[in-house]
Amino acid sequence: HISNGVTDKEYCLVYNQSWTPLSQTLDAAVSYPLVNLTSTLLCDATGIQPEVVNGKALVVMRGVCDFSQKAVVAQSLGATLLLLASNTTLITPSANVSEYSSVHIPLALMRYRDLLDAQQVFGENMQVKLYAPPQSKIDPSIVVMLLIAVVTVTLGGCWDRLDCVLEGGGDSRAEGGDLFLYSPLKVIIFVGLMSVMLLLMYFFYNILVYVIIAIFCLASASALFSCLDAVMDVIGCGTVSFSIKNCKLSLRSLVLAAVCISIAVVWGVYRNEDSWIWILQDLLGIAFCLNFMKTISLSNFKICVILLSLLLVYDVFFVFITPFFTKNGVSIMVQVALGPDAAGERLPVVMRVPRFSAWALNMCGMQFSILGFGDIIVPGLLVAYCSRFDVRINSRNKVYFISSCIAYLLGIIMTFAVMLLSGMGQPALLYLVPFTLITAAAVAGYRKEMRQFWTGTTYEVRAGMLELPVIS
């Protein structure tokens, strides 16, 4: 916190909590006049008069010598606080135990560009305070993330249900080019390809990240078009058609395509602008998840059990087991999802919502609550199957669909609760898969429909001609 008595402003700093304890509130922090000595590296006291820095905060450039050496020199000159201006990535200052004990003044790093900004705002008359506001574990962003997840899964089930109703309860869309998983072998191959892709991303991240970004732009633009086009159909927005050289075109489709492509291009260009681009990423991510759940269908509960169980093992293995094999002890899933370099490119595979309670920490870099697309899509495929099954058995109460949505809600709440209590990220499928599968199985068992629910309509997918019996 920098002030000149009239104006004040806050900047980001990085410090070592075990080395430099700071006040948690601004009012409790001590104010010091700041002396700018960025013309020196302060590896020794040569050319510096003690009376200039005595009892004051001192800012010097980072580099050449260790943090502790600079701190010892500043302390010997009588400085009460040391700031190191850095032109590179900020890192937590560290030293060995003996050096910790010899330094008794606060030490922190700040960006050199922030110091230049402060000089333009305040001039040379600057008073500084260092404080570290506590970060709340429970943040309203979790509620927003929960709503995004539950609404997306519910809409995916409703969309699939609408398709099924329009097609008379059958699965004719399986013949229209959509991927219909009805073979356990296909499921195993599908999960195997996911595992191979994750490993390739881990070893060749710097190359493949741009391929994934390009694919996401194309896929999300197409998905957004599909979603908006469906909304237009529901609200009854008519189309105006015209022909060019015997090619019939729809004005509505052209406008929607232009809008969707523009949104995807804007996201691609400004994807690293954390302050606002997360809105577009979440919008495109919701459309991507909805279109994925519409495109890939599970033919029966047996396939649901196989797929969700394999993906549960996949999620747990790559989150909890792989840290034992990586050099830095960080799971492969985390490194791929967040990127090996926090300042570099990130994969667009998560929903992101800024942490509202971390407003002070956001100056050092936006703090986000995140949820992977897979944690929405995978249970969403089961919810979509339950929704279709309700139509096939003419269930007026939509008992399978509603119960699976409630199970997903409880599972995602459990995920967030365990995350908050443990203080670490969780593989969400570890909780979502048991909640949804057990609930669906319990409903089918209670209604004595497990046989139909388990076998589904695999024979109809392959034949494509038989009419489903209506079961009361």
Side-chain angles (χ1 to χ4, degrees):
H1 180 88
I2 301 181
S3 173
N4 61 2
V6 179
T7 307
D8 56 16
K9 193 172 181 179
E10 294 183 332
Y11 298 94
C12 166
L13 62 84
V14 176
Y15 76 108
N16 189 324
Q17 187 174 7
S18 61
W19 193 0
T20 306
L22 297 180
S23 301
Q24 293 187 343
T25 63
L26 180 61
D27 292 338
V30 180
S31 178
Y32 302 100
L34 181 66
V35 178
N36 185 357
L37 289 181
T38 50
S39 58
T40 179
L41 295 170
L42 202 66
C43 291
D44 55 56
T46 303
I48 302 177
Q49 299 178 356
E51 59 270 15
V52 175
V53 299
N54 186 38
K56 300 178 181 178
L58 181 61
V59 57
V60 300
M61 290 301 297
R62 171 187 174 186
V64 180
C65 53
D66 296 336
F67 297 127
S68 57
Q69 184 175 343
K70 294 177 185 289
V72 169
V73 173
Q75 188 172 270
S76 67
L77 292 170
T80 53
L81 184 153
L82 178 61
L83 294 174
L84 304 179
S86 176
N87 276 318
T88 58
T89 304
L90 299 182
I91 62 173
T92 303
S94 61
N96 58 45
V97 177
S98 61
E99 291 171 328
Y100 280 153
S101 61
S102 63
V103 176
H104 308 291
I105 62 174
L107 169 68
L109 273 68
M110 68 179 298
R111 300 187 186 101
Y112 181 59
R113 68 173 184 267
D114 287 345
L115 178 62
L116 296 178
D117 177 80
Q119 287 179 321
Q120 291 181 349
V121 175
F122 302 102
E124 296 299 326
N125 183 23
M126 290 185 280
Q127 296 282 329
V128 299
K129 290 183 177 183
L130 270 57
Y131 75 109
Q135 184 174 356
S136 173
K137 287 186 176 182
I138 302 178
D139 189 87
S141 62
I142 294 178
V143 178
V144 178
M145 187 65 72
L146 186 147
L147 288 175
I148 290 175
V150 174
V151 169
T152 303
V153 167
T154 304
L155 287 177
C158 290
W159 193 355
D160 209 287
R161 181 186 185 88
L162 179 61
D163 280 351
C164 194
V165 170
L166 294 176
E167 291 155 8
D171 288 300
S172 61
R173 70 190 181 101
E175 298 178 355
D178 289 356
L179 179 59
F180 208 97
L181 294 180
Y182 57 84
S183 166
L185 179 60
K186 282 189 174 182
V187 172
I188 294 173
I189 293 174
F190 179 75
V191 176
L193 290 176
M194 288 181 59
S195 302
V196 171
M197 188 62 195
L198 185 63
L199 290 174
L200 288 175
M201 286 302 308
Y202 176 71
F203 289 108
F204 304 103
Y205 186 92
N206 292 333
I207 298 174
L208 293 180
V209 64
Y210 296 103
V211 176
I212 299 300
I213 287 173
I215 292 175
F216 177 75
C217 287
L218 294 173
S220 62
S222 175
L224 186 61
F225 175 86
S226 179
C227 294
L228 293 179
D229 194 50
V231 171
M232 292 293 185
D233 286 336
V234 170
I235 64 178
C237 181
T239 61
V240 178
S241 300
F242 58 94
S243 299
I244 300 178
K245 295 182 179 180
N246 298 324
C247 181
K248 192 173 182 179
L249 300 174
S250 167
L251 180 60
R252 188 183 82 181
S253 297
L254 290 176
V255 172
L256 284 181
V259 170
C260 296
I261 292 173
S262 298
I263 292 175
V265 169
V266 170
W267 176 86
V269 173
Y270 297 99
R271 61 187 179 275
N272 294 319
E273 296 290 335
D274 283 343
S275 58
W276 60 273
I277 203 63
W278 61 272
I279 299 174
L280 291 187
Q281 179 164 324
D282 289 353
L283 173 65
L284 294 172
I286 291 171
F288 179 85
C289 293
L290 288 173
N291 198 57
F292 196 99
M293 287 185 280
K294 175 180 179 292
T295 302
I296 295 184
S297 299
L298 306 182
S299 60
N300 53 56
F301 188 57
K302 178 179 72 174
I303 296 298
C304 292
V305 171
I306 295 173
L307 177 63
L308 270 65
S309 299
L310 287 177
L311 289 176
L312 168 61
V313 174
Y314 163 92
D315 209 17
V316 171
F317 175 79
F318 282 107
V319 172
F320 286 149
I321 307 300
T322 55
F324 296 104
F325 304 103
T326 57
K327 294 180 180 179
N328 55 4
V330 180
S331 73
I332 289 178
M333 185 74 77
V334 171
Q335 292 189 64
V336 170
L338 301 182
D341 182 2
E345 296 287 356
R346 293 183 295 264
L347 286 177
V349 294
V350 295
M351 302 290 185
R352 299 195 298 161
V353 177
R355 292 181 59 87
F356 304 120
S357 63
W359 60 270
L361 298 177
N362 285 341
M363 286 182 287
C364 296
M366 294 287 287
Q367 308 291 308
F368 288 94
S369 295
I370 63 173
L371 184 69
F373 290 171
D375 301 327
I376 296 174
I377 292 174
V378 175
L381 294 174
L382 172 60
V383 172
Y385 171 71
C386 291
S387 181
R388 291 196 307 276
F389 191 76
D390 276 329
V391 175
R392 294 181 185 126
I393 64 172
N394 196 25
S395 173
R396 297 181 180 180
N397 295 327
K398 307 175 185 178
V399 60
Y400 286 94
F401 172 62
I402 293 176
S403 61
S404 60
C405 287
I406 293 174
Y408 180 80
L409 172 62
L410 296 176
I412 202 73
I413 290 175
M414 175 66 73
T415 302
F416 288 138
V418 175
M419 179 187 68
L420 294 174
L421 292 174
S422 65
M424 60 183 293
Q426 297 292 315
L429 294 184
L430 179 61
Y431 310 97
L432 295 173
V433 168
F435 266 86
T436 51
L437 284 181
I438 292 174
T439 300
V443 172
Y446 178 77
R447 291 170 59 89
K448 297 180 173 56
E449 295 168 344
M450 177 55 79
R451 182 177 178 182
Q452 298 94 330
F453 192 60
W454 179 261
T455 58
T457 55
T458 303
Y459 64 94
E460 294 193 7
V461 174
R462 303 185 69 173
M465 295 183 297
L466 300 179
E467 183 180 354
L468 279 169
V470 177
I471 302 173
S472 59

